[in-house]
């Protein structure tokens, strides 16, 4: 990470666009027109001038020699990556013609615009939604990241916010559950450090392996993947049993505390130990520490939600501060996402002022089954025969890569990809369009880790012939006959109108301010004015909306459990040097990340005859990948972790980690289950 510092060259202000909780303000050096230099952290009460190292060297990415700078047309087989340059007019004319041809043949729902969070800026990210709505193309369920976590959090709280992390310096206990902020949210670690120095606060980390955050913790609970709900239930059992539950708080603010207590009588630490792999003593100690510390701050991450039972697990964990009453105290309570503090009116962004056509919703996490004609996913509609992909790289990022690539390789699928680099997905495209980076366009930014609303202008001109998402969609809309006021505006004008419609300062004023703090007052942030449900109460008994889920917090045994043929559970946590497949093209990030590596417990390595640096095959019924192994004592037995989404070319066998993961959804509302995969391990002789 790096902090802000005086600079002597010309500078401009920007905002980091990447899918990270921090949405950092940036000060960008401009050593000469059209080029950026070193990037520094800007002033903000949350980020305090600190940014991660990979964004500090963002010039490596913006001015990378392999950056796409001109439209391309495929001249070889799909996936081979052979293209010839064409003009923007030729490219857009062909995309429009192919979309019209597909819609005329099978109806507009045969076209599927596909996107996600390659940029978190609302104008550039949402343009594709406006086109989709006006043209009647298939809708997209945006499940790949936060759906399972959001479902679990909302089940209890009913609102998408929590306690402002700036209260952490007032905490006496910080629990990081299923997150690794030392690698993915450095600012949180600074706040934790303040609490530890000023108050002697304790840090507890719950995670299946010893992350850089866990290395700094006072206690690390290395539980089996998918067993978080059992741990939370046993903790609440202890809190009720030992008089650490705040019964007065629950009577006022929760739905059924007496029923919960009866339910938890059998959820003992011994019961949870058999499920989680933790000892009963570890569970007892953590439960007593948490229950007796009123100023306890629980930061719920996304990692443990990426399991078939992820939403149920996250709801169980979110019950902890409701049982302890921690919500009442400064520095107490919990947060999963702060995204709900921003009240933006999205009609202009998403075209919501246009009547909604009745179209099917296709699950983006199940792009493999969708593109290979699984009838469960096509919802009675036509096959997908035309796509536009922005801000996403599903060939590497989506689950079940083998099926995804099989679908992308179909000769009857027309694929256009708008990208900054020749990703694995772009290699399957018929038309590839060069996209700008955030340094080259304007946008509007919220955050899910803090409460500051920000805007940014371009700091350099577009590199080569690259065009921003907003402009590219407007140019395509003109050819398709799609009419909407948003297509007539430039990005800055749209930002201004969205802000004004939301009763907020306009774009120019917000730019001068450097950001607007949208934090809620203490009573609302801590839900002392009521939780988000109609009755104002936290729900121990959520309304899941489907049969088969537990009525109260519990362990839901629906995961891809290890068996004799597949004795290991695979998790795929992020690398601190990448962000999904973003930054994998940067030489420094690659050098620092090293190579794809499997972290395996030293005892498991000994049993398999594996030493550090050996090649190991990891496989299941879907595929087999080959990586180098690193023995470690900092991971649960029977668990293997492969960090980061490396492009497939970096794996010895040419297949990346998501060839192993399943496209089955989390229950009940969907979500990718990247950390819920049973596998076998076998030693491989180097060739």
């Amino acid at each position: 990470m790096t902090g802000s510092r005086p600079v002597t060259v010309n500078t401009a202000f920007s905002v980091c666009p990447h899918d990270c909780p921090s949405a950092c303000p940036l000060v960008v050096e401009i050593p000469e027109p059209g080029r950026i230099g070193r990037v520094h952290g800007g002033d903000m009460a949350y980020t305090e001038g600190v940014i991660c190292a990979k964004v500090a060297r963002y010039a490596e990415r913006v001015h990378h020699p392999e950056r796409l700078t001109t439209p391309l047309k495929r001249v070889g087989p799909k996936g081979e990556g052979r293209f010839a340059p064409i003009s923007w007019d030729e490219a857009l004319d062909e995309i429009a013609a192919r979309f019209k041809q597909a819609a005329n043949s099978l109806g507009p729902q045969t076209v599927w615009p596909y996107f996600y969070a390659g940029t978190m800026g609302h104008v550039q990210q949402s343009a594709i939604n406006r086109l989709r709505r006006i043209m009647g193309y298939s809708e997209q369920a945006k499940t790949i990241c936060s759906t399972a976590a959001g479902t679990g959090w909302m089940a209890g709280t009913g609102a998408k916010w929590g306690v402002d992390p700036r209260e952490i310096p007032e905490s006496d206990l910080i629990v990081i559950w299923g997150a690794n902020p030392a690698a993915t949210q450095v600012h949180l670690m600074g706040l934790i450090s303040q609490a530890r120095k000023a108050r002697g606060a304790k840090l507890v980390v719950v995670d299946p392996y010893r992350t850089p955050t866990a290395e700094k913790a006072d206690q690390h609970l290395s539980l089996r993947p998918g067993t978080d709900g059992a741990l939370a239930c046993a903790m609440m059992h202890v809190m009720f049993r030992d008089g650490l539950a705040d019964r007065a708080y629950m009577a006022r603010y929760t739905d059924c505390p007496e029923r919960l207590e009866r339910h938890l009588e059998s959820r003992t630490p011994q019961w949870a130990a058999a499920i989680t792999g933790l000892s009963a003593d570890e569970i007892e100690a953590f439960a007593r520490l948490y229950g007796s510390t009123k100023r306890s701050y629980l930061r719920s991450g996304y990692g443990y939600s990426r399991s078939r039972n992820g939403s149920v697990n996250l709801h169980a964990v979110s019950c902890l501060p409701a049982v302890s009453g921690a919500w009442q105290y400064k520095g107490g309570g919990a947060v999963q996402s702060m995204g709900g503090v921003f009240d933006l009116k999205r009609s202009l962004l998403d075209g919501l002022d246009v009547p909604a056509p009745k179209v099917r919703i296709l699950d983006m996490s199940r792009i493999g089954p969708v593109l290979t004609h699984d009838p469960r996913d096509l919802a009675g509609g036509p096959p997908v025969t035309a796509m536009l992909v922005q801000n996403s790289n599903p060939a590497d990022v989506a689950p079940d890569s083998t099926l995804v690539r099989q679908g992308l390789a179909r000769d009857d699928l027309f694929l256009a990809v708008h990208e900054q680099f020749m990703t694995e997905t772009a290699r399957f495209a018929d038309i590839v369009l060069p996209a700008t980076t955030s340094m080259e366009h304007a946008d509007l930014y919220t955050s899910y880790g803090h409460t500051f609303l920000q805007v940014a202008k371009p700091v350099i001109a577009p590199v080569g012939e690259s065009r921003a998402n907003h402009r590219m969609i407007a140019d395509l809309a003109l050819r398709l006959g799609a009419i909407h006021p948003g297509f007539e505006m430039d990005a800055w004008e749209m930002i201004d109108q969205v802000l004004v419609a939301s009763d907020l300062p306009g774009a120019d004023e917000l730019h001068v301010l450097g950001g607007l703090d949208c934090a809620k007052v203490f009573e609302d942030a801590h839900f002392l004015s009521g939780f988000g449900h109609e009755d104002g109460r936290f729900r121990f008994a959520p309304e899941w909306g489907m049969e088969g889920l537990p009525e109260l917090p519990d362990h839901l045994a629906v995961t891809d459990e290890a068996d004799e043929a597949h004795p290991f559970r695979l998790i795929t946590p992020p690398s601190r040097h990448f962000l999904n497949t973003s930054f994998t093209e940067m030489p420094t990030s690659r050098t620092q990340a090293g190579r794809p590596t499997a972290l395996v417990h030293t005892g498991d390595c000994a049993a398999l005859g594996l030493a550090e640096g050996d090649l190991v095959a990891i496989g299941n019924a879907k595929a087999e990948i080959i990586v180098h192994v690193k023995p470690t004592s900092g991971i649960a037995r029977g668990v293997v972790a492969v960090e980061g989404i490396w492009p497939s070319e970096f794996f010895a066998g040419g297949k990346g980690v998501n060839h192993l993961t399943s496209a089955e959804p989390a229950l009940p509302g969907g979500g990718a289950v990247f950390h819920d995969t049973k596998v076998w391990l076998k030693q491989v002789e180097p060739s």
Side-chain angles (χ1 to χ4, degrees), residues 61 107 120-121 125 195 215 249 255 288 320 371 387 415 453 477 504 508 516 533 630-631 641 667 677:
R61 193 164 197 276
M120 295 294 282
Q125 187 189 72
E215 289 175 354
Y249 174 85
D255 60 347
R288 285 194 292 269
L320 291 168
L371 294 185
M387 292 184 72
L415 176 63
L453 180 70
L504 295 165
D508 289 328
L516 180 69
H533 300 296
K630 182 177 181 179
L667 300 174
T677 307

Side-chain angles (χ1 to χ4, degrees), residues 228-557:
D228 306 80
L231 174 57
C233 286
M235 290 174 65
M236 290 186 282
H237 168 96
V238 172
M239 290 157 64
F240 277 112
R241 183 197 69 193
D242 293 355
L244 301 174
D246 190 329
R247 298 180 187 279
Y249 174 85
M250 286 188 286
R252 181 175 178 183
Y253 287 103
T254 70
D255 60 347
C256 56
E258 296 86 0
R259 185 179 165 204
L260 175 66
E261 184 174 7
R262 291 193 299 271
H263 165 73
L264 292 173
E265 286 176 355
S266 62
R267 272 58 174 177
T268 64
Q270 292 75 20
W271 166 84
I275 297 170
T276 63
L278 302 171
S279 70
D281 288 343
E282 284 181 285
I283 298 170
E284 290 268 4
F286 181 30
R288 285 194 292 269
L289 174 64
Y290 182 84
S292 61
T293 309
K294 295 306 181 184
R295 292 192 179 201
S296 59
Y297 188 98
L298 196 159
R299 178 63 169 91
S300 174
Y302 291 89
Y304 71 107
S305 73
R306 291 174 182 146
S307 177
R308 289 166 177 81
N309 60 1
S311 296
V312 172
N313 285 342
L314 200 142
H315 170 257
V317 172
S318 76
C319 293
L320 291 168
V323 173
S324 74
W327 288 111
Q328 302 166 90
Y329 306 98
K330 191 168 186 179
V335 70
Q336 198 279 316
S337 168
M338 296 298 292
V341 304
F342 304 99
D343 187 20
L344 290 179
K345 301 298 185 284
R346 300 192 58 88
S347 291
L348 185 61
L349 290 168
D350 294 322
L352 302 180
D353 49 350
V354 175
K358 292 183 179 180
V359 298
R360 64 184 174 182
I361 302 174
L362 303 177
D363 186 341
M364 69 176 302
S365 298
R366 291 185 57 77
I367 181 175
V370 167
L371 294 185
T372 53
H373 312 313
D374 191 319
R376 297 175 299 171
D377 295 280
L378 295 179
V384 172
T385 61
M387 292 184 72
L388 168 64
V389 175
Q390 284 184 323
N391 312 325
S392 188
N393 180 19
D396 275 331
V397 170
D400 201 346
S401 291
T402 302
L403 209 56
V404 175
R405 290 165 185 246
Q406 182 182 329
L408 292 174
R410 282 172 33 213
D411 288 332
D412 66 333
L413 173 68
F414 174 78
L415 176 63
V417 175
H418 190 203
E419 253 296 353
Q420 298 162 359
F421 292 89
M422 185 58 70
T423 63
E424 288 293 308
T425 304
R427 292 172 68 89
F428 286 93
D430 298 281
I431 299 290
V432 178
L433 303 170
T436 51
T437 69
S438 60
M439 299 293 171
E440 302 147 56
H441 58 238
D443 221 328
L444 169 65
Y445 297 94
T446 57
S447 166
Y448 56 96
H450 61 68
T451 60
F452 286 86
L453 180 70
Q454 302 175 85
V455 294
K457 294 181 177 181
V459 300
I460 59 172
V463 171
E465 297 179 35
S466 59
R467 293 186 186 179
N469 291 4
H470 178 68
R471 181 185 171 189
M472 178 262 156
I473 292 291
D475 291 341
L476 180 59
L478 180 65
R479 289 164 168 81
L480 291 168
I483 299 173
H484 187 269
F487 297 138
E488 306 298 324
M489 302 176 187
D490 65 25
W492 197 249
E493 184 180 3
M494 176 168 280
I495 292 168
D496 187 67
Q497 291 209 17
V498 170
L499 291 170
V500 170
S502 305
D503 296 323
L504 295 165
D508 289 328
E509 182 181 355
L510 187 54
H511 191 258
V512 171
L513 289 171
L516 180 69
D517 191 351
C518 300
K520 293 187 174 292
V521 298
F522 182 91
E523 289 75 12
D524 292 343
H526 287 252
F527 299 111
L528 299 181
S529 53
F531 287 90
H533 300 296
E534 188 174 350
D535 61 3
R537 292 177 177 270
F538 182 91
R539 288 183 176 170
F540 293 131
E543 296 178 3
W544 291 120
M546 72 175 293
E547 299 292 329
L549 298 189
E551 296 180 3
L552 291 163
D554 214 337
H555 172 64
L556 178 63

Side-chain angles (χ1 to χ4, degrees), residues 448-684:
Y448 56 96
H450 61 68
T451 60
F452 286 86
L453 180 70
Q454 302 175 85
V455 294
K457 294 181 177 181
V459 300
I460 59 172
V463 171
E465 297 179 35
S466 59
R467 293 186 186 179
N469 291 4
H470 178 68
R471 181 185 171 189
M472 178 262 156
I473 292 291
D475 291 341
L476 180 59
L478 180 65
R479 289 164 168 81
L480 291 168
I483 299 173
H484 187 269
F487 297 138
E488 306 298 324
M489 302 176 187
D490 65 25
W492 197 249
E493 184 180 3
M494 176 168 280
I495 292 168
D496 187 67
Q497 291 209 17
V498 170
L499 291 170
V500 170
S502 305
D503 296 323
L504 295 165
D508 289 328
E509 182 181 355
L510 187 54
H511 191 258
V512 171
L513 289 171
L516 180 69
D517 191 351
C518 300
K520 293 187 174 292
V521 298
F522 182 91
E523 289 75 12
D524 292 343
H526 287 252
F527 299 111
L528 299 181
S529 53
F531 287 90
H533 300 296
E534 188 174 350
D535 61 3
R537 292 177 177 270
F538 182 91
R539 288 183 176 170
F540 293 131
E543 296 178 3
W544 291 120
M546 72 175 293
E547 299 292 329
L549 298 189
E551 296 180 3
L552 291 163
D554 214 337
H555 172 64
L556 178 63
V558 294
T559 56
D560 195 24
E561 284 302 308
D563 55 31
E564 186 176 353
H566 308 84
F568 289 85
R569 295 289 305 286
L570 170 69
I571 58 174
T572 60
S575 163
R576 70 185 307 162
H577 306 291
F578 306 146
L579 205 168
N580 294 321
T581 56
S582 295
F583 300 97
T584 59
E585 70 285 334
M586 288 170 58
T588 304
S589 290
R590 287 179 179 177
T591 299
Q592 293 181 348
R595 62 190 179 189
T597 302
L599 303 176
V600 183
H601 192 276
T602 51
D604 292 328
C605 285
L608 293 167
L610 292 169
E612 182 158 359
D614 284 353
L615 286 171
V616 62
I618 307 174
N620 56 21
K622 293 184 178 298
E624 173 184 313
I625 69 170
I626 300 174
V627 296
H628 293 83
V629 72
K630 182 177 181 179
T632 176
S633 60
I635 194 167
R637 291 292 301 262
V639 177
V640 55
V642 178
E643 294 181 319
I645 305 179
W646 288 82
S648 292
E649 64 190 86
F650 287 89
F651 288 80
K655 291 184 177 181
V657 69
N658 277 323
H659 283 267
L660 299 173
T661 58
S662 171
E664 289 302 309
L667 300 174
V673 295
F674 293 117
H675 304 324
D676 190 359
T677 307
K678 65 183 179 185
V679 293
W680 46 255
L681 269 62
K682 296 178 182 177
Q683 189 175 30
V684 175

Side-chain angles (χ1 to χ4, degrees), residues 171-181 188-189 192 196 200-207 209 211 213-223 231 235 278 282-283 285-291 293 296-301 320:
S171 304
D172 293 320
L173 170 65
I174 301 100
V175 178
I176 304 296
W177 200 309
N180 182 19
L188 202 60
M189 297 305 295
I192 293 169
R196 299 178 90 174
K202 300 294 185 182
L203 173 63
V204 177
V205 173
V206 182
D207 203 289
Y209 80 118
T211 63
T213 307
E215 289 175 354
K216 300 177 184 296
D218 297 285
Q219 184 179 7
H220 170 213
L221 292 105
S222 182
L223 77 178
L231 174 57
M235 290 174 65
L278 302 171
E282 284 181 285
I283 298 170
F286 181 30
R288 285 194 292 269
L289 174 64
Y290 182 84
T293 309
S296 59
Y297 188 98
L298 196 159
R299 178 63 169 91
S300 174
L320 291 168

